[in-house]
Amino acid sequence: MAETVSLTARSGLSWQIASAIGTRIVNGEYAPGDVLPTESDLGEAYNVGRSAVREAIKMLASKGLVDARPRRGTIVCERNAWSFLDADLLSWLEGSAPDQEFLLELVDMRMAIETEAAALAAGRSVAQEVKEIRAAYEKMVAAEIGQADPIAADLEFHKAIVSASGNRFMRPLVAIVSTALRFSFRYTNALAGAHVGDLEEHERILLAIEAGDAEGARAAVRSLLQSVRDAVERGGQKNSDGLEQT
Amino acid sequence: MAETVSLTARSGLSWQIASAIGTRIVNGEYAPGDVLPTESDLGEAYNVGRSAVREAIKMLASKGLVDARPRRGTIVCERNAWSFLDADLLSWLEGSAPDQEFLLELVDMRMAIETEAAALAAGRSVAQEVKEIRAAYEKMVAAEIGQADPIAADLEFHKAIVSASGNRFMRPLVAIVSTALRFSFRYTNALAGAHVGDLEEHERILLAIEAGDAEGARAAVRSLLQSVRDAVERGGQKNSDGLEQT
DNA sequence: CAAGTCATATTTGTCTGATAAATAGGATGA
DNA sequence: TCATCCTATTTATCAGACAAATATGACTTG
């Protein structure tokens, strides 16, 4: 269930440069409209050749972050051109401190993605991928008594649902669901104690999917995520999925 | 309402190479696991320098399509690593002939995206973007009597809904919604005649959003898309949104 | 003075060639 | 049989050169 991204791609010099510049862009250090330093200057700044910089900029351009033109230079694109669902972009985003609006938008995306994915998964409840949802759930149960990593288990559960949709266009959305969950983990007291209600909600989702009950699965996911959304709106203490602790 | 992509990026040599190779990959001409020709060979084949080929491959790698390593060469990644929501990738995909399963997955994605986007749009019905939904609807009405392009109007309507969600993560999904609609247009007799029921469904969506009725908007979109899905499943004649002609 | 035209300098675009680094696959040897 | 080493192949990176595009300001002209 590890990230499928090949590590070779991540180790290249040009990818590191893209990562460095990309991070500065999504964190606002370079604002939309700003002109980046010239390729030569960037190469000098990072101590790499111009070709490495150019390859990095091409990667950023392919994610809608920058646009290069002779003489004018390379400018940062408007935010509405950014590929916000790109896995790299999301990982660069995870380095920044989110505001409430940002967290709400993430939850709203989970709402769109996971409700429908769960419904689709229910429609193919015999699939191998559905068994992985149960496996993740068992892991969450084990985590309750300290026999597994609760964060990893929770992540796996939700990623498994998206994958179990069997829809090729859903798969890339595993990245944003993971990012959303990691933000939740970071800004909540996920590890503070037992969260029984949370587990029950997850069980309801699992059983609906296994039973092939698409509408039930949709409703169960919506219920869970609505709790998360409410918690984010209150800005209060919440567990890993955003539910309040008692 | 034109595509926001800067045309400069599209005209570069390395982008053309990426486009050529990317198209061959998503159409299966190069299968996952296949090793691409060497950078030198590709350069010779396309009559460009090695640097242009390398920049192209870096772009493809940043979309999860290929993975390059010394000695082994550049291989095509497994489909589950592809960024299927990337605008470029989708445009390359539009050149191929879809099977029914593919079309169904597109409709299912529209279901996930547009239902939630419409609900979110209803929550901010005063926003400027909501007015653009109405503008697109008026255009659809005008198209009924031949005073506007019905395809463009329909596209604008659905794109406007996604944009009106006000969610930064929704915006990139305009690409897949557009792609899905274009496939619908292509494989249906969109222009064969009047499709009154279609227009009524759109009006119901618009009114629900303007009224701030999130649940109503969700239901109206779901109803429309369910009709599309049914039509695709039957594989029968349908109009631009997949509804059957009478 | 206004507005269009043109020249120039700057920056990206592209090619070529060279060297380094990684590694798959075969050769070698215990 | 298996581990080790060698070597050829391919990508990775750099450097330098020239081409192409274009923003800017100077210049001209009405």
Side-chain angles (χ1 to χ4, degrees):
Chain A
M1 189 52 81
E3 303 291 339
T4 60
V5 287
S6 50
L7 300 93
T8 33
R10 258 69 191 162
S11 61
L13 190 46
S14 50
W15 191 86
Q16 290 178 277
I17 305 299
S19 191
I21 300 175
T23 300
R24 299 181 71 166
I25 291 175
V26 301
N27 292 135
E29 208 165 329
Y30 291 128
D34 283 2
V35 181
L36 296 188
T38 67
E39 293 171 350
S40 309
D41 288 349
L42 284 170
E44 199 173 322
Y46 289 107
N47 255 296
V48 300
R50 207 187 133 204
S51 51
V53 173
R54 280 190 58 78
E55 288 174 358
I57 287 179
K58 275 293 185 311
M59 288 189 256
L60 296 177
S62 110
K63 297 181 192 301
L65 284 180
V66 302
D67 180 52
R69 251 191 263 182
R71 168 74 214 219
R72 184 201 58 181
T74 303
I75 65 166
V76 178
C77 296
E78 294 300 316
R79 265 200 282 280
N80 61 23
W82 296 4
S83 297
F84 269 108
L85 302 171
D86 179 86
D88 293 327
L89 204 156
L90 287 168
S91 81
W92 300 334
L93 222 34
E94 284 191 43
S96 62
D99 55 17
Q100 191 190 43
E101 165 64 16
F102 181 88
L103 294 174
L104 284 175
E105 288 182 22
L106 281 176
V107 177
D108 286 338
M109 286 307 292
R110 287 187 63 191
M111 195 77 90
I113 297 163
E114 295 189 53
T115 51
E116 198 62 23
L120 291 172
R124 45 204 298 281
S125 49
V126 291
Q128 171 60 32
E129 289 123 309
V130 172
K131 299 200 178 106
E132 287 175 18
I133 305 176
R134 170 160 285 280
Y137 173 74
E138 308 285 9
K139 209 163 162 183
M140 289 184 75
V141 174
E144 287 287 303
I145 53 174
Q147 306 214 340
D149 180 0
I151 289 183
D154 204 350
L155 260 174
E156 273 178 39
F157 185 87
H158 294 278
K159 286 160 73 172
I161 288 177
V162 177
S163 291
S165 70
N167 187 312
R168 78 196 71 182
F169 302 103
M170 279 284 177
R171 240 168 250 285
L173 294 173
V174 164
I176 190 174
V177 168
S178 300
T179 293
L181 274 163
R182 277 192 285 267
F183 270 114
S184 286
F185 294 141
R186 197 190 315 171
Y187 291 94
T188 57
N189 53 349
L191 304 172
H195 36 117
V196 179
D198 196 18
L199 198 60
E200 276 172 7
E201 292 251 46
H202 282 77
E203 187 188 27
R204 211 168 308 155
I205 295 170
L206 171 65
L207 293 179
I209 292 176
E210 286 181 336
D213 176 10
E215 276 315 310
R218 219 192 292 268
V221 171
R222 181 168 302 282
S223 164
L224 170 65
L225 291 179
Q226 189 58 52
S227 306
V228 178
R229 195 178 202 289
D230 291 345
V232 172
E233 268 189 324
R234 276 195 305 274
Q237 293 295 300
K238 42 210 174 310
N239 71 14
S240 61
D241 274 294
L243 296 171
E244 285 204 336
Q245 303 279 327
T246 51
Chain B
M1 190 51 81
E3 302 291 338
T4 61
V5 288
S6 51
L7 299 94
T8 34
R10 259 71 191 161
S11 61
L13 189 45
S14 50
W15 191 86
Q16 289 178 277
I17 305 298
S19 191
I21 301 175
T23 300
R24 299 181 70 166
I25 291 176
V26 301
N27 291 134
E29 209 166 329
Y30 291 128
D34 283 2
V35 181
L36 296 189
T38 67
E39 293 171 351
S40 309
D41 288 349
L42 284 170
E44 199 173 322
Y46 290 107
N47 256 295
V48 301
R50 212 188 127 204
S51 52
V53 173
R54 280 190 59 78
E55 288 175 358
I57 287 179
K58 276 291 188 301
M59 288 190 255
L60 296 177
S62 112
K63 298 180 191 304
L65 284 179
V66 302
D67 181 52
R69 250 191 262 181
R71 168 74 214 221
R72 185 201 58 181
T74 303
I75 65 167
V76 177
C77 295
E78 294 300 317
R79 265 201 277 283
N80 61 24
W82 297 2
S83 297
F84 268 108
L85 302 172
D86 178 87
D88 293 327
L89 203 155
L90 287 168
S91 82
W92 301 334
L93 222 35
E94 284 190 44
S96 62
D99 55 16
Q100 191 190 44
E101 165 65 16
F102 182 88
L103 295 174
L104 284 176
E105 288 181 24
L106 280 177
V107 177
D108 287 337
M109 286 305 293
R110 288 187 62 190
M111 194 78 90
I113 297 163
E114 295 189 54
T115 51
E116 199 62 23
L120 291 172
R124 44 205 297 283
S125 48
V126 292
Q128 170 60 33
E129 289 123 309
V130 172
K131 298 200 179 107
E132 287 175 18
I133 305 178
R134 170 161 285 278
Y137 172 75
E138 309 284 9
K139 209 162 163 183
M140 288 184 76
V141 174
E144 287 287 304
I145 52 173
Q147 307 214 337
D149 179 0
I151 290 185
D154 204 350
L155 260 174
E156 273 178 38
F157 184 86
H158 294 277
K159 286 160 75 172
I161 288 177
V162 177
S163 291
S165 70
N167 187 313
R168 77 196 73 181
F169 302 103
M170 280 284 177
R171 239 168 252 284
L173 294 172
V174 164
I176 190 174
V177 169
S178 300
T179 293
L181 275 165
R182 276 191 286 266
F183 270 114
S184 287
F185 294 141
R186 197 189 315 172
Y187 290 95
T188 58
N189 52 350
L191 304 173
H195 36 117
V196 179
D198 195 18
L199 198 60
E200 276 173 6
E201 292 252 45
H202 282 77
E203 187 188 28
R204 210 170 308 154
I205 295 170
L206 171 65
L207 293 179
I209 292 176
E210 287 182 334
D213 175 11
E215 276 315 310
R218 217 191 295 267
V221 171
R222 181 168 300 283
S223 164
L224 170 64
L225 291 178
Q226 189 59 52
S227 306
V228 178
R229 195 178 202 290
D230 291 345
V232 172
E233 265 189 325
R234 276 195 304 274
Q237 293 296 301
K238 40 209 176 307
N239 70 14
S240 62
D241 275 293
L243 295 173
E244 285 201 338
Q245 304 278 328
T246 51

